[in-house]
Amino acid sequence: MGERGWLRLQPDEAPALAPSAEELLRRVAAGDETAFASLYDLVAGPVLGLATRVLRNHAQAEEVAQEVLVEVWRKATRYVPERGSALTWVLTIAHRRAVDRVRSHQAVLDREERAGRMDVRRPFDDVTESALAGLDQQRVRQCLSALTDLQRESIVLAYYNGYTYPEVAAVLKVAPGTVKTRIRDGLIRLRDCLGVDR
Amino acid sequence: MTAELHMLTGAHALDAVSDVDRAEFERHLGQCAPCRQEVAELRATGARLAVAVAVDPPPDLKPRVLADVARTRQLPPKVPPVRRLGRAKTWQLRAALFGAAAAAVVAVILGVATTPAPVDPVLGAPDASAIQGVGRGHATLVVSRSRNQAVLLASDLPVLDADHVYQVWLIGTGGARSAGLMAPEASQRMLLAELPADIDRIGITVEPAGGSPGPTTPAVSMISLT
């Protein structure tokens, strides 16, 4: 961490005295199951929350979360710290898994049904949030509300619903190229607003 | 083209792309350091959206995960799970490399060289091993597990009409996902940017121009990784 590092707000990090997720993941890569149990405590909440958000089904979300967490154990040796934080790595795996699940053939019907009851303007109202979510949620909500409606709706539908950008375009009745661009410029604004570096 | 591909960083970071788009964009990422940086930042931004919806896991999830972990073997960091090269295989690999180099030269002379994929690091990796495909033409997969990459070398595949293309599939427990379309030249090499661990076969099928979301015809060539 740089000399001014302690001045920065980094909600992704564990409390100062506990080992960081990166350090835990390094130990997990060496086969340390105790370190994995500690890493579980840091990441399981966001992983399950994300899976629940994307799948809208508690049983399936728990199944996916369990698969993701075991994959984190299995692939820990493949984590490259230079490419991003451990939490981002875990949540990238989680999002991909959840999305793969909703895009599989048997999920198509579920998904059409989900589309009928989603409300993209109020993405945070129906979850039992954890303390961790509470810390981040207010800031994320503020930053999301600073986006244009099209940027926000595109990002929410893509990330929380697992839609491809052409599917988002069909829902919002705009051109796919427009959604592609709005996802990118919206995320860049969100990145700057949240102060994300990697 | 590059500028337009670059606009895909956001959608790619949120997994909001089809498998075909993803494969194409990941090949582009291999050659575009600023794009990799942007994708990393936008993925980290996406992760904040996940943290914002974190929930308290039910108490029985942790013991279930730990029990699974206790009986799950971890992936090794370097040692490739595929066969090591014996002398014969090394010779085959050299022959394949020679063929690929010759094909590349032909492509350049004919002026049809498209995007130069960074395949050489894979072909030259210390753990590179070659696997022959079964089927029509000659398909060879050179795998480097340490780089988590593979190069597909194909030659002598039947020539297709303008309405059809060869599409490459990564096949594993989760079904087949597209690794992209092959250029129409008779001989070519194609970088598979990522070789997920659950993939046990690589298949090549004939698909309508533009590709298909899933394979629609029997494979013309199949390469088994196990």
Side-chain angles (χ1 to χ4, degrees):
Chain A
M1 190 174 288
E3 54 177 339
R4 292 189 304 123
W6 57 275
L7 283 172
R8 294 206 318 248
L9 182 62
Q10 292 206 333
D12 284 2
E13 286 196 359
L17 293 177
S20 67
E22 288 72 25
E23 170 59 18
L24 289 170
L25 195 50
R26 196 189 60 75
R27 293 190 214 162
V28 169
D32 184 339
E33 290 182 34
T34 310
F36 180 83
S38 303
L39 183 64
Y40 175 99
D41 294 337
L42 292 182
V43 304
V47 167
L48 182 61
L50 178 59
T52 306
R53 172 62 63 181
V54 174
L55 293 156
R56 304 274 173 125
N57 174 309
H58 285 290
Q60 281 188 25
E62 273 190 41
E63 225 173 270
V64 165
Q66 186 168 347
E67 287 170 13
V68 167
L69 292 159
V70 173
E71 193 172 340
V72 165
W73 160 261
R74 210 165 64 82
K75 290 191 171 166
T77 53
R78 308 293 164 93
Y79 167 64
V80 181
E82 292 72 28
R83 291 193 199 149
S85 76
L87 184 61
T88 296
W89 183 73
V90 171
L91 291 171
T92 299
I93 294 175
H95 192 260
R96 181 73 183 274
R97 272 281 177 140
V99 162
D100 281 350
R101 177 71 72 103
V102 294
R103 289 185 196 162
S104 65
H105 288 301
Q106 65 265 36
V108 166
L109 290 176
D110 291 357
R111 186 179 176 195
E112 281 166 0
E113 198 221 337
R114 275 186 308 127
R117 56 191 155 85
M118 76 194 169
D119 183 347
V120 298
R121 279 172 198 81
R122 301 166 71 192
F124 296 120
D125 289 354
D126 64 340
V127 283
T128 326
E129 64 200 59
S130 73
L132 181 59
L135 284 175
D136 208 43
Q137 201 184 96
Q138 200 179 352
R139 188 82 194 119
V140 168
R141 197 196 297 255
Q142 275 172 0
C143 289
L144 274 176
S145 68
L147 303 181
T148 67
D149 288 350
L150 187 54
Q151 286 174 332
R152 181 174 54 254
E153 288 169 0
S154 298
I155 289 172
V156 164
L157 284 170
Y159 194 71
Y160 289 135
N161 282 69
Y163 283 19
T164 62
Y165 74 87
E167 289 170 337
V168 172
V171 171
L172 298 179
K173 302 196 168 30
V174 293
T178 306
V179 168
K180 181 165 69 174
T181 314
R182 292 296 88 85
I183 289 177
R184 176 167 177 266
D185 54 35
L187 272 179
I188 287 172
R189 268 170 83 172
L190 202 54
R191 174 196 71 189
D192 296 343
C193 178
L194 291 168
V196 173
D197 48 6
R198 270 233 166 176
Chain B
M1 181 61 185
T2 302
E4 196 184 320
L5 259 183
H6 190 81
M7 298 311 289
L8 211 57
T9 49
H12 179 80
L14 299 190
D15 299 314
V17 292
S18 68
D19 288 347
V20 174
D21 279 348
R22 178 185 295 131
E24 186 185 351
F25 187 70
E26 282 176 357
R27 277 198 300 282
H28 170 65
L29 275 184
Q31 302 149 31
C32 177
C35 306
R36 286 197 297 273
Q37 170 74 20
E38 188 169 297
V39 167
E41 290 172 1
L42 299 185
R43 276 202 195 288
T45 305
R48 293 289 295 274
L49 295 173
V51 173
V53 295
V55 295
D56 288 325
D60 63 323
L61 183 60
K62 188 170 180 178
R64 277 191 277 142
V65 170
L66 295 183
D68 269 6
V69 156
R71 54 172 182 261
T72 301
R73 188 172 181 275
Q74 290 179 293
L75 290 181
K78 299 267 186 211
V79 185
V82 290
R83 299 169 289 212
R84 283 226 163 257
L85 292 180
R87 270 175 184 279
K89 281 260 159 49
T90 308
W91 183 87
Q92 281 174 3
L93 175 57
R94 289 215 180 105
L97 290 178
F98 180 79
V105 167
V106 169
V108 170
I109 290 171
L110 295 178
V112 293
T114 50
T115 335
V119 297
D120 294 339
V122 179
L123 300 179
D127 68 332
S129 59
I131 305 166
Q132 303 297 327
V134 176
R136 306 187 61 180
H138 296 291
T140 303
L141 189 75
V142 180
V143 185
S144 165
R145 285 287 175 184
S146 67
R147 302 184 61 89
N148 200 26
Q149 287 180 323
V151 171
L152 180 61
L153 307 163
S155 59
D156 302 332
L157 288 172
V159 176
L160 300 176
D161 62 29
D163 297 329
H164 293 87
V165 290
Y166 287 113
Q167 191 165 0
V168 181
W169 304 95
L170 305 178
I171 303 164
T173 46
R177 37 187 142 124
S178 175
L181 307 178
M182 290 171 66
E185 290 85 46
S187 295
Q188 55 193 296
R189 46 191 192 163
M190 172 175 171
L191 180 71
L192 307 178
E194 194 195 351
L195 202 58
D198 62 311
I199 298 306
D200 50 32
R201 276 170 301 159
I202 308 282
I204 303 173
T205 63
V206 177
E207 300 296 340
S212 304
T216 61
T217 59
V220 292
S221 182
M222 188 72 88
I223 301 166
S224 175
L225 299 182
T226 49

